[in-house]
Amino acid sequence: MGQSAIVLGAGMVGVSVALHLRQRGWEVVLVDRRAPGEGASFGNAGLIQREAVFPHPFPRGVSEIARIARNRSVDAVYHANALPGLAYPLLRYWWNSAPERYEAMARAYAKLIVTCLDEHMAVAREAGSTDLLRPIGWMRLFSTEAGLDAVRREAEAAHRDHGVGYRMLDGAALAEAEPHLLVRRAGAIHWTDPYSVSDPNALTTSYARLFEALGGRLATGEATTLARAGAGWRVTTAEGPVEAAQAVVALGATAGEVTRRFGYAPPLFGKRGYHYHYGMKGNAVLNHPFIDEASGFCLVPMRAGIRLTTGAEFARPDAPETPIQIERAEPIARTLLPLEERVEDKPWMGTRPCTPDMLPVIGRIPGQDGLWGAFGHAHQGLTLGPTTGRMLAEMMGGETPFIDPAPYRAERFG
């Protein structure tokens, strides 16, 4: 079968893996039960987050844990019946978030993040979709000088150690940057490096079109049909069985459902998120995405309108949608911006795939020749898709990866 691969999962990560393999001459079939970009890649804040060099740690402060435990917040909610199944990965997440362990993980995480702008732009230029990447960054608003001072120290460290760009705005400068903001704040930090994607689904779709234009194949199929076929792999699609020498699991939060069948059960857990789009009244505009520190959700200018995205919901995989965070956030959002009615009839929901050590799995699946993983990117699947795609394609082709893959190896989860 030569250099051939089945890539399971057509989100930003899977599309990027398939594309990078195809650019290196591999015969590639990209398989998903939905069209490219319709999973977790569809709904997010749409940021290519060059500033996100520090992964999200588990809260360590007693007061913060107590706040979340009350289950009344906007940024984090949980279903009580999901907690038994989440206990092990969340305890590992808490353990790994201790300062002495977090520091090493943050260094490994930053090595991926610092590449994201260049890797996206290289693909977007070839795909003809650079117009979707707006170099406007995003803002975090603060009500107090103490909050501004704390984030300034964080920004100084990120700039010193990782070249992150930022500027500090006082209240007057913030009002000038966002004249239709309805509240006064002490100021904001403007992370200046990130691209804001005006339509994340369109960006993923454009990369998938490039993959097809280069000779790659898209197929509709169920990843759970993956099976051994001699020395290679087979998956069932709507067009019939497809075989290849190698297979890549890029299925986000459901990756474990496939890898578990082949003896690898990583402690993945999901953070569900929701979004709605809204119009703006009159001639009001929003110039930059922002998070108001006192509120805990993101408002983003998109093609479809102003997108309100929620924080994390912890639930069983089969639990029905419960967009309580949207219901809590929307009244607050209307005090921040002059929003009109919702654009959609119902909210979108997706699940972010997380690992207890905050690092993705990128590399060989233990004990299975020709089976690879590319999942567990948490909040940064959109950001890290092209980086992961290039890195894994180099590994699969026997090249020296442009980033040392050791911290992301699958074997770290026995």
Side-chain angles (χ1 to χ4, degrees):
M1 289 181 275
Q3 282 193 319
S4 59
I6 298 164
V7 178
L8 302 173
M12 177 56 79
V13 173
V15 167
S16 297
V17 171
L19 175 58
H20 274 280
L21 287 170
R22 183 62 200 145
Q23 287 174 326
R24 287 160 174 77
W26 287 59
E27 294 297 320
V28 185
V29 181
L30 178 60
V31 179
D32 202 312
R33 60 187 175 188
R34 293 186 285 184
E38 291 191 357
S41 297
F42 186 91
N44 48 63
L47 296 170
I48 311 300
Q49 287 193 254
R50 171 60 178 83
E51 93 297 344
V53 291
F54 303 121
H56 295 284
F58 195 96
R60 303 292 293 182
V62 173
S63 62
E64 179 68 0
I65 294 174
R67 180 185 70 84
I68 294 171
R70 287 192 290 270
N71 212 18
R72 298 173 184 170
S73 65
V74 173
D75 57 330
V77 301
Y78 61 87
H79 295 193
N81 65 0
L83 295 182
L86 290 167
Y88 176 70
L90 288 182
L91 282 171
R92 288 277 301 272
Y93 183 17
W94 173 84
W95 189 82
N96 285 320
S97 297
E100 64 272 19
R101 287 177 284 276
Y102 176 82
E103 184 178 348
M105 292 166 190
R107 285 197 301 270
Y109 192 77
K111 289 178 181 177
L112 297 174
I113 290 291
V114 298
T115 70
C116 66
L117 300 184
D118 290 342
E119 295 306 311
H120 261 286
M121 187 55 71
V123 177
R125 286 195 186 102
E126 191 172 354
S129 50
T130 56
D131 60 308
L132 296 171
L133 301 177
R134 302 171 295 181
I136 59 175
W138 69 280
M139 294 182 177
R140 185 178 288 271
L141 282 51
F142 292 87
S143 301
T144 66
E145 292 295 336
L148 285 170
D149 289 341
V151 79
R152 183 184 290 109
R153 291 192 294 272
E154 175 189 329
E156 288 170 351
H159 176 74
R160 180 187 65 243
D161 297 338
H162 305 292
V164 171
Y166 71 96
R167 64 183 181 126
M168 302 300 301
L169 285 69
D170 62 16
L174 173 60
E176 182 178 357
E178 295 295 346
H180 296 108
L181 194 65
L182 298 177
V183 294
R184 297 286 296 181
R185 291 291 183 256
I189 184 168
H190 180 193
W191 300 106
T192 55
D193 295 330
Y195 295 142
S196 176
V197 182
S198 60
D199 187 334
N201 177 251
L203 186 68
T204 306
T205 300
S206 75
Y207 293 2
R209 284 199 303 268
L210 174 60
F211 166 71
E212 287 189 286
L214 294 175
R217 289 174 53 202
L218 294 177
T220 302
E222 286 287 342
T224 53
T225 65
L226 184 70
R228 277 287 183 187
W233 299 90
R234 178 190 297 118
V235 69
T236 302
T237 75
E239 302 170 1
V242 172
E243 294 189 6
Q246 313 273 330
V248 179
V249 179
L251 293 165
T254 62
E257 295 178 14
V258 172
T259 65
R260 192 174 295 112
R261 297 172 50 237
F262 302 101
Y264 180 63
L268 282 174
F269 63 98
K271 295 180 183 177
R272 302 205 306 190
Y274 300 82
H275 78 230
Y276 260 127
H277 292 100
Y278 301 81
M280 288 274 269
K281 294 179 180 179
N283 62 353
V285 296
L286 176 62
N287 295 318
H288 305 85
F290 76 87
I291 294 176
D292 184 44
E293 189 68 12
S295 307
F297 55 84
C298 196
L299 289 161
V300 189
M302 296 263 182
R303 279 180 172 177
I306 304 300
R307 179 178 289 187
L308 187 161
T309 72
T310 68
E313 180 186 61
F314 297 92
R316 293 164 61 104
D318 58 351
E321 297 180 14
T322 53
I324 187 171
Q325 289 170 294
I326 288 278
E327 303 303 328
R328 291 173 179 173
E330 183 178 306
I332 302 170
R334 293 188 181 280
T335 70
L336 301 174
L337 291 175
L339 299 177
E340 288 190 330
E341 297 307 308
R342 297 170 175 175
V343 172
E344 301 94 353
D345 293 331
K346 60 176 292 187
W348 175 91
M349 187 200 79
T351 304
R352 308 174 186 97
C354 303
T355 66
D357 65 0
M358 295 156 278
L359 299 175
V361 170
I362 306 173
R364 292 182 183 274
I365 299 300
Q368 296 291 336
D369 290 339
L371 186 61
W372 304 79
F375 52 82
H377 293 77
H379 296 259
Q380 302 301 345
L382 185 72
T383 293
L384 293 175
T387 293
T388 299
R390 176 182 169 185
M391 183 177 164
L392 190 62
E394 289 171 346
M395 295 170 69
M396 292 173 68
E399 304 172 51
T400 299
F402 79 119
I403 298 171
D404 179 5
Y408 325 106
R409 66 194 186 284
E411 290 87 348
R412 71 186 195 271
F413 300 123

